[in-house]
Amino acid sequence: MTTVHQTSAEPSFRESVDMMFNRAVALMDLSPGLEEKIRVCNATYTVRFGVRLRGAIHTFTGYRSVHSEHMEPVKGGIRFAPSVHQDEVEALASLMTFKCALVEAPFGGSKGGLRIDPNEWEPHELEQITRRFAYELIKRDLINPAQNVPAPDMGTGEREMAWIADQYKRMNTTDINGAACVTGKPINAGGIQGRTEATGRGVQYALREFFRYEEDKAAAGLTGTLKGKRVIVQGLGNVGYHAAKFLAQEDGALITGIIERDGALHNEAGLDVEAVHSWIKKHGGISGYPDATHQADGALLLEQECDILIPAALEGVINLSNADRIKAPLIIEAANGPVTAGADEILRDKGCVIIPDMYANAGGVTVSYFEWVKNLSHIRFGRMQRRAEEARHQLLVDELQRLDRYLGSDWSMSKDFKEKYLRGADELELVRSGLDDTMRAAYQSMRKVWHERDDVTDLRTAAFIVSISKVAMSYQAKGL
Ligand code: NAD
């Protein structure tokens, strides 16, 4: 069983985020009033509702927290987990504000949570519970295409988003933009290609960008490319699975460790991510998986030697109790808040480079932004341009071939090049291109602050400085 070991000296998740925020604002020149305005969470709505299931009324507790409305709608996922509580939802909402600002998604920050173990309920029961929770939020405009747009998070996915969208449409039958009330929907319910993979894909793009800079790799004591790098991933859910799969299949990284709820798998020669994923789906956990050594207390594998550690499950897993034993020179925070403020300090002192959550897992909200735009424009990306682009490329190919015949040379285009060049970009390619561009631009804005300012020694502080500046400018423009 993988437990999160923490000492009592550890601050709460929200306090931890505040401490990291404070570290950054101490290096900025903001008026104290504005600093406080940006730090605090604007509002948290708590709802308790009953649903009749299995012959009895069951009461559930849910939250929707709005951290900052400097831009609207506000945006942030809905989490289904038994551990959900107000402090966590507020911390996550605050991270959403800074994440959106960093990647220039035009949203304020929000987050929601329902205290529930989704594994305890049948799909039809979960649907009833989700629709009821959505009803409570919709009637208070806490789900609304113009004001508050949720997305998936831990314990939720396409299915839940489709239920929420449908619930909104039932309650707002004349809202032509109803589909934009939530993102992360299935394609046939107004979703966008590439949203499910987006957060993991973003982690891959973030690492690729990091590995483009010799100076940045040197800070972590790394060299070369992602090929052959030993990677340990915690959590093979939506984010962890996609990140691990793409890094292994497309960049040649070796996934040497996978940590899940029921323990960890380790194999220095590299694990087959697809096989482990299928095993978990079939058996409900990693236990019994062949071709790897099994460790009962999975959290211990966080301390194993590797080149890159990807915590992609839950918050607070690297904390005061284990930070000094972490050996990875590079940590990329695919989960939100996996490293506590105290652990962050210990790791920085050890020279470990941390690619912070607000950047590392921003792929999800970036593609959610594309989905929201798609829903509001009521047209699939590429629909108008694709064939026109192909026709233009065909013109060029025809002309080159005509010239070739005219000159009588034996030059010819390779079939592979011709096929690739002639094919116009479809929605998935456009989404990936937009995501890649976003991840590169955001990384560059962070690393500029990291390298150009002597008083900034880590990427997290740099990320906070970039995003807080943007939020501050937005408030100032409004006259606050
Ligand atoms: P998920 O529910 O799909 O996956 C979480 C995985 O972690 C599951 O496989 C679960 O079994 C595993 N897990 C749970 N407890 C564990 C433990 N103690 N030790 C090891 N593994 C454990 O969730 P997800 O959507 O992949 O989200 C994971 C993290 O990424 C969360 O912090 C979430 O806030 C963050 N995130 C998700 C998205 C998104 O688009 N889904 C976007 C941004 C950030």
Side-chain angles (χ1 to χ4, degrees):
M1 176 69 185
T2 300
T3 42
V4 179
H5 308 280
Q6 279 204 357
T7 71
S8 55
E10 207 79 61
S12 75
F13 185 11
R14 192 181 49 74
E15 286 165 347
S16 197
V17 174
D18 282 353
M19 285 161 79
M20 292 168 178
F21 174 96
N22 291 343
R23 205 175 118 75
V25 287
L27 306 175
M28 298 175 74
D29 190 20
L30 294 180
S31 70
L34 183 58
E35 184 184 313
E36 177 68 1
K37 175 70 206 81
I38 298 174
R39 181 191 303 104
V40 297
C41 179
N42 287 3
T44 301
Y45 172 66
T46 307
V47 60
R48 293 178 190 86
F49 56 91
V51 185
R52 181 175 285 281
L53 298 160
R54 303 178 190 176
I57 293 178
H58 294 262
T59 301
F60 298 91
T61 305
Y63 305 91
R64 187 77 185 159
S65 189
V66 175
H67 175 262
S68 174
E69 292 149 292
H70 68 288
M71 283 199 187
E72 282 183 311
V74 292
K75 190 111 191 52
I78 290 186
R79 175 176 285 197
F80 282 5
S83 53
V84 161
H85 54 87
Q86 182 169 344
D87 184 275
E88 176 186 81
V89 178
E90 290 189 357
L92 291 165
S94 143
L95 281 175
M96 280 308 297
T97 295
F98 303 118
K99 191 180 303 185
C100 291
L102 186 65
V103 296
E104 299 189 338
F107 303 124
S110 183
K111 202 81 183 191
L114 185 65
R115 200 181 296 154
I116 185 176
D117 182 350
N119 300 317
E120 283 180 3
W121 301 97
E122 295 297 323
H124 70 276
E125 294 169 327
L126 260 184
E127 177 175 352
Q128 259 183 280
I129 300 164
T130 306
R131 282 185 182 274
R132 185 59 212 279
F133 182 35
Y135 168 83
E136 295 294 334
L137 298 181
I138 293 164
K139 72 179 185 190
R140 290 171 180 85
D141 286 335
L142 287 165
I143 296 179
N144 180 300
Q147 289 191 26
N148 198 322
V149 183
D153 193 75
M154 222 162 91
T156 57
E158 285 190 345
R159 184 183 62 174
E160 288 73 16
M161 301 306 115
W163 291 333
I164 293 173
D166 186 63
Q167 186 64 32
Y168 179 87
K169 284 186 209 156
R170 286 186 192 191
M171 294 167 69
N172 298 274
T173 49
T174 57
D175 186 348
I176 194 170
N177 293 322
C181 76
V182 66
T183 57
K185 302 177 291 292
I187 292 291
N188 59 13
I192 193 167
Q193 298 285 349
R195 172 60 184 90
T196 305
E197 66 167 43
T199 311
R201 183 63 81 181
V203 171
Q204 176 198 30
Y205 289 164
L207 280 172
R208 281 186 180 173
E209 183 62 3
F210 178 88
F211 272 82
R212 284 191 185 102
Y213 300 100
E214 292 305 324
E215 205 181 349
D216 301 9
K217 281 185 282 184
L222 292 167
T223 54
T225 65
L226 282 163
K227 194 167 170 23
K229 292 285 179 295
R230 296 162 305 159
V231 179
I232 294 179
V233 184
Q234 184 186 40
L236 209 65
N238 179 309
V239 179
Y241 161 65
H242 286 106
K245 178 170 110 166
F246 297 144
L247 287 168
Q249 285 178 0
E250 298 171 15
D251 297 293
L254 287 179
I255 310 301
T256 53
I258 291 176
I259 309 168
E260 256 296 329
R261 286 174 204 268
D262 58 335
L265 299 172
H266 182 222
N267 185 344
E268 278 300 299
L271 293 154
D272 180 338
V273 178
E274 211 58 73
V276 178
H277 191 244
S278 307
W279 184 273
I280 295 174
K281 281 207 152 165
K282 195 164 168 203
H283 302 275
I286 52 157
S287 300
Y289 179 80
D291 307 326
T293 46
H294 187 268
Q295 186 148 12
D297 185 356
L300 293 177
L301 204 74
L302 292 167
E303 300 165 21
Q304 182 72 31
E305 287 222 13
C306 64
D307 299 307
I308 305 168
L309 181 58
I310 310 185
L314 60 169
E315 59 266 15
V317 292
I318 300 173
N319 51 54
L320 291 175
S321 80
N322 61 359
D324 58 349
R325 294 192 302 277
I326 300 288
K327 296 181 194 71
L330 176 64
I331 298 176
I332 176 157
E333 296 182 324
N336 283 305
V339 177
T340 64
D344 189 65
E345 195 178 332
I346 295 172
L347 290 164
R348 266 189 277 119
D349 288 349
K350 288 202 325 177
C352 171
V353 173
I354 301 176
I355 303 181
D357 46 8
M358 79 172 78
Y359 166 68
N361 65 36
V365 74
T366 301
V367 177
S368 275
Y369 168 40
F370 302 156
E371 181 178 333
W372 182 73
V373 171
K374 176 186 178 182
N375 294 152
L376 294 179
S377 57
H378 299 269
I379 188 164
R380 157 171 61 78
F381 286 108
R383 182 164 175 182
M384 303 289 277
Q385 308 91 331
R386 187 172 180 193
R387 303 301 167 190
E389 191 189 333
E390 286 180 359
R392 278 179 174 275
H393 288 184
Q394 186 67 55
L395 270 180
L396 182 67
V397 168
D398 289 348
E399 188 61 8
L400 285 172
Q401 282 174 339
R402 193 186 64 79
L403 273 175
D404 179 37
R405 279 195 304 275
Y406 173 73
L407 294 171
S409 67
D410 57 1
W411 170 87
S412 70
M413 267 176 223
S414 76
K415 196 165 170 282
D416 186 42
F417 168 81
K418 207 166 137 181
E419 271 172 16
K420 280 189 186 153
Y421 184 69
L422 284 179
R423 197 165 41 82
D426 60 12
E427 187 172 79
L428 183 59
E429 280 174 79
L430 291 170
V431 163
R432 286 182 180 160
S433 152
L435 175 60
D436 194 10
D437 184 58
T438 302
M439 296 308 289
R440 289 192 202 202
Y443 185 78
Q444 285 157 22
S445 66
M446 268 184 341
R447 78 179 294 275
K448 192 165 183 291
V449 174
W450 182 29
H451 292 304
E452 285 183 3
R453 284 185 59 159
D454 293 339
D455 54 355
V456 177
T457 53
D458 64 303
L459 277 167
R460 190 190 311 279
T461 306
F464 264 114
I465 289 177
V466 173
S467 52
I468 294 169
S469 310
K470 289 185 180 165
V471 178
M473 278 190 283
S474 181
Y475 275 123
Q476 277 156 353
K478 285 181 171 182
L480 245 180

